[in-house]
Amino acid sequence: RGLRKKENFTLMLEWPPGLLDPIAYERGKVSLLKDHPGVLFAAVLMVGALVYYLVAWFLVGKDPDKGVIIPHYDPPQGFSPGAVRYLDRMGYDNTCFSAGVVGLAVKGVATIEQEGKTYTVKANGISEQKEPLDPDEQRLYNKLLGSGSIELKQANHSRISGARKAQQKMLSSKLEKTHFLRNGKWWMTGLLITLVATLVLVFATGASPPALFMMVWLSIWTIATSALVSRCVNLWRSGSAAVAVAVTLFAVPFALGWIGGAIAFWFLIGSWATGAFIFAGLLNLIFYHLIKAPPPLGRKVMDHIEGFRHYLSVAEEERLNLENPPEKTPELFERFLPYALALDCEQKWSEKFDAVLQAAGTAPGGSNGYRPTFYTGSYSGMNRAMGVAAIGGALTGALASSSTAPSSSGSGGGGS
């Protein structure tokens, strides 16, 4: 008869021990080498990649020991604000660009003008310069202002991005291989090892075409998401809150998409391959930064920069411990403001000059507030040194957004 509702049926089979072929009992013991050689090989490669990176870091990526850091009252000779930032970070970012533009204005060859939320960089001409331009500053001036003044808006993105690329190329040719080494060939070898290990593990665990497609997609998505997250961090550090919020909101869907892709990859190929993929990504990302190192010449200049940073950021009560620091004047404040912006200490630098600038009384029209010589525009609530320092952060955001081409898609004023 058929089973009624909630009834169960059990069938039990028994046989004497030894009746089955002995091989059936032997196969109960799992051997990783015999049963899963691909998994074992991939694990060895992953461990080998870690060992390789550690050895490579010890051989070429370990920074020379720092020298004795003493306060310096001037930047390294021949180093513009952009060059100081590039060497300090061993890489280029938005603040390199903005520090370079503010440096041009402070040296008198340009003026930064604000009207509402719009910034314009006006060319004053080389004849107006107060100090000689470094080669990278001259190249930046030629590319950005050689054709005249420019409004910082996306319509001018081609010219602005061209100036940015020209500055980056000049700084790279000046500093890379002489003041710091990327050691890219060493890093590419480690990347290749982890890539082979991940592919071996994916195939060893039964790769299907969707799983391989997902792996390629997730790799590309990881690079894009990492770049966006890095840009968000740089924007928040530079104080460009408005642009940072916009870029962060744009990055959120990428991050959520990456998480969703990782979960889908987990279900398609399993935990081992997913874990190996994430491990390989983190390993390469960490050592991409760790394996960069300065040679002795670069270390010496970086020690000078560290001493200069100490002078720029030292608290007022600690200033008395410095030996013969230069007199605080509005001219000194403006001269080193681009360097303070480059080294992320513009607020501390400004705090020390608040009283000096308030007493300067240089504003036109009878105002008692200080106005910088390199800037014109709205001064609502900006009659203190902190307001002047905020120009750098706002300019960083304006340069970053205006150097990016507007989206070719979207409707109703929207876009990506």
Side-chain angles (χ1 to χ4, degrees), residues 45 82 85 101 112 137 158 162 169 175-176 183 271 278 316 326:
L45 283 177
R85 174 79 176 188
V101 174
I112 300 170
E137 291 178 312
S158 178
K169 185 177 180 180
L175 299 175
E176 291 191 30
N183 295 314
S271 58
I278 295 174
E316 184 60 28

Side-chain angles (χ1 to χ4, degrees), residues 41-347:
F41 181 58
V44 170
L45 283 177
M46 283 295 184
V47 174
L50 175 59
V51 172
Y52 166 81
Y53 269 133
L54 291 173
V55 173
W57 172 81
F58 182 80
L59 292 177
V60 300
K62 191 176 181 181
D63 292 0
D65 293 335
K66 288 185 178 181
V68 178
I69 305 299
I70 59 175
H72 285 279
Y73 305 134
D74 285 292
Q77 187 175 6
F79 276 73
S80 67
V84 166
R85 174 79 176 188
Y86 193 93
L87 180 57
D88 184 61
R89 292 299 185 93
M90 289 193 283
Y92 188 86
D93 63 5
N94 291 325
T95 306
C96 285
F97 193 20
S98 60
V101 174
V102 175
L104 293 178
V106 167
K107 287 188 174 182
V109 298
T111 300
I112 300 170
E113 183 179 281
Q114 180 188 8
E115 185 175 349
K117 295 183 178 180
T118 303
Y119 286 86
T120 301
V121 183
K122 294 189 173 182
N124 296 337
I126 298 298
S127 60
E128 299 293 328
Q129 72 182 54
K130 302 174 183 177
E131 297 181 47
L133 300 181
D134 291 315
D136 60 282
E137 291 178 312
Q138 185 67 60
R139 184 71 177 275
L140 176 61
Y141 177 86
N142 292 341
K143 287 291 185 178
L144 186 65
L145 300 172
S147 302
S149 304
I150 185 168
E151 188 175 332
L152 302 185
K153 59 182 182 180
Q154 285 191 320
N156 297 321
H157 73 90
S158 178
R159 183 170 153 193
I160 297 171
S161 63
R164 175 190 170 100
K165 291 176 182 177
Q167 184 198 30
Q168 182 177 2
K169 185 177 180 180
M170 284 291 293
L171 293 176
S172 174
S173 63
K174 175 180 180 178
L175 299 175
E176 291 191 30
K177 298 183 180 179
T178 57
H179 290 76
F180 80 92
L181 304 172
R182 291 188 180 275
N183 295 314
K185 292 181 179 179
W186 291 80
W187 182 77
M188 287 297 294
T189 301
L191 175 66
L192 181 61
I193 295 173
T194 56
L195 179 61
V196 172
T198 304
L199 287 172
V200 169
L201 188 57
V202 167
F203 282 107
T205 51
S208 60
L212 293 175
F213 172 80
M214 181 64 70
M215 179 180 169
V216 174
W217 176 86
L218 199 58
S219 299
I220 298 173
W221 207 262
T222 299
I223 296 172
T225 304
S226 299
L228 278 172
V229 170
S230 177
R231 186 175 184 187
C232 288
V233 171
N234 288 332
L235 286 172
W236 283 110
R237 283 180 176 176
S238 66
S240 311
V243 181
V245 169
V247 176
T248 301
L249 292 176
F250 180 69
V252 167
F254 277 81
L256 294 177
W258 186 89
I259 294 173
I263 294 174
F265 192 65
W266 180 296
F267 282 106
L268 279 172
I269 204 63
S271 58
W272 283 97
T274 306
F277 181 84
I278 295 174
F279 173 79
L282 291 175
L283 187 66
N284 289 304
L285 179 62
I286 291 171
F287 278 95
Y288 175 78
H289 296 283
L290 285 182
I291 208 166
K292 293 186 291 186
L297 174 62
R299 180 72 268 169
K300 183 179 180 180
V301 178
M302 293 175 76
D303 288 346
H304 188 126
I305 292 174
E306 193 62 32
F308 186 48
R309 190 206 308 271
H310 178 74
Y311 162 62
L312 295 176
S313 60
V314 66
E316 184 60 28
E317 57 271 16
E318 299 177 22
R319 183 173 176 268
L320 299 175
N321 297 327
L322 300 180
E323 183 178 352
N324 300 322
E327 181 184 358
K328 292 193 298 183
T329 63
E331 293 76 19
L332 181 68
F333 170 71
E334 290 188 10
R335 180 187 175 197
F336 290 155
L337 180 61
Y339 290 97
L341 173 64
L343 296 175
D344 296 321
C345 54
E346 67 272 20
Q347 292 188 4

